[in-house]
Amino acid sequence: ESAKIKEIEDMHVKVMAKYDKLRQLVAERNLAIAAKVRLIDDIPTRTELIQYERRFVELYQQVALKLGENKKYFETYNTLEDTYKFMEKEVNLINSISENFDAAMQSKASKEQFLKQFEGIIKGVEDSLQRQQATLEGKTVRLESLTANHQNLVDEQRRYFKAVKDFQEECNKNERYSQKLAQLGGPLEG
């Protein structure tokens, strides 16, 4: 009987060793599976990618809107700054003329010198006016070009939406015809 108990104990030890070994293998396999699951979870699904894309589009639109606002503010500031500089120059010019007029009219030589300086001032103002007009013409041409380009893009978008609508209508027709064909007895075999 003690031999039988010894045999049972040996068998029990072997079974427990085998059990422990199998538990170890299962634990290692579970760790490997958990690592693979984490890797799979790290890859975004199609739905998540679509959500990311939508969010990026929203953010891009917000940034573009803010950029447009900032550009308008900078353009307004620059325009007002240029206007201020021109007005300041005009005030200084008028003050200079007013201060020097009486002294310049005292003698013929000073009168001629005053007129030459005045002619130089007039030429400078005319040059400045021509530069500003050239800048205005350039910006006008650019605006017309951008307006035409925008109109072309709007027309292209309309054509695209019309094509999509027509395609959808044709798909709907195809679906209805397929359903009718299925009701009449299935697809035709050729």
Side-chain angles (χ1 to χ4, degrees), residues 13 29 50 54-55 64 97 104-105 111 147 155 157 166:
V13 169
R29 179 73 53 114
I50 290 170
R54 285 182 184 154
R55 186 61 184 140
I97 292 171
M105 295 300 142
K111 188 188 265 188
T147 302
D155 292 342
Q157 185 182 31
D166 293 344

Side-chain angles (χ1 to χ4, degrees), residues 30 51 77 79 88 126 128 151 165:
N30 283 340
Q51 288 174 343
Y77 175 81
T79 301
E88 196 172 48
E126 288 173 349
S128 178
Q151 188 59 45
K165 182 182 174 190

Side-chain angles (χ1 to χ4, degrees), residues 11-23:
M11 188 183 281
H12 178 65
V13 169
K14 287 180 183 178
V15 169
M16 287 305 290
K18 189 175 182 181
Y19 174 74
D20 288 341
K21 188 177 182 181
L22 288 175
R23 277 188 62 187

Side-chain angles (χ1 to χ4, degrees), residues 66-78:
K66 285 293 182 185
L67 179 65
E69 287 178 14
N70 286 344
K71 280 185 178 181
K72 286 180 184 178
Y73 290 137
F74 273 100
E75 288 174 2
T76 302
Y77 175 81
N78 289 337

Side-chain angles (χ1 to χ4, degrees), residues 6-98:
K6 176 82 171 148
E7 185 180 326
I8 290 174
E9 285 177 354
D10 288 343
M11 188 183 281
H12 178 65
V13 169
K14 287 180 183 178
V15 169
M16 287 305 290
K18 189 175 182 181
Y19 174 74
D20 288 341
K21 188 177 182 181
L22 288 175
R23 277 188 62 187
Q24 180 65 29
L25 288 174
V26 168
E28 289 174 5
R29 179 73 53 114
N30 283 340
L31 285 175
I33 289 172
K36 298 289 184 192
V37 167
R38 280 193 299 274
L39 284 174
I40 290 171
D41 287 343
D42 286 345
I43 300 171
T45 64
R46 190 162 215 37
T47 306
E48 290 172 331
L49 289 174
I50 290 170
Q51 288 174 343
Y52 293 150
E53 181 183 11
R54 285 182 184 154
R55 186 61 184 140
F56 280 129
V57 167
E58 289 173 6
L59 289 173
Y60 175 78
Q61 289 172 344
Q62 287 177 349
V63 168
L65 183 66
K66 285 293 182 185
L67 179 65
E69 287 178 14
N70 286 344
K71 280 185 178 181
K72 286 180 184 178
Y73 290 137
F74 273 100
E75 288 174 2
T76 302
Y77 175 81
N78 289 337
T79 301
L80 292 174
E81 180 74 17
D82 290 343
T83 303
Y84 176 76
K85 286 179 183 177
F86 282 123
M87 293 181 105
E88 196 172 48
K89 284 181 183 178
E90 184 178 338
V91 167
N92 289 339
L93 182 64
I94 291 173
N95 285 340
S96 173
I97 292 171
S98 175

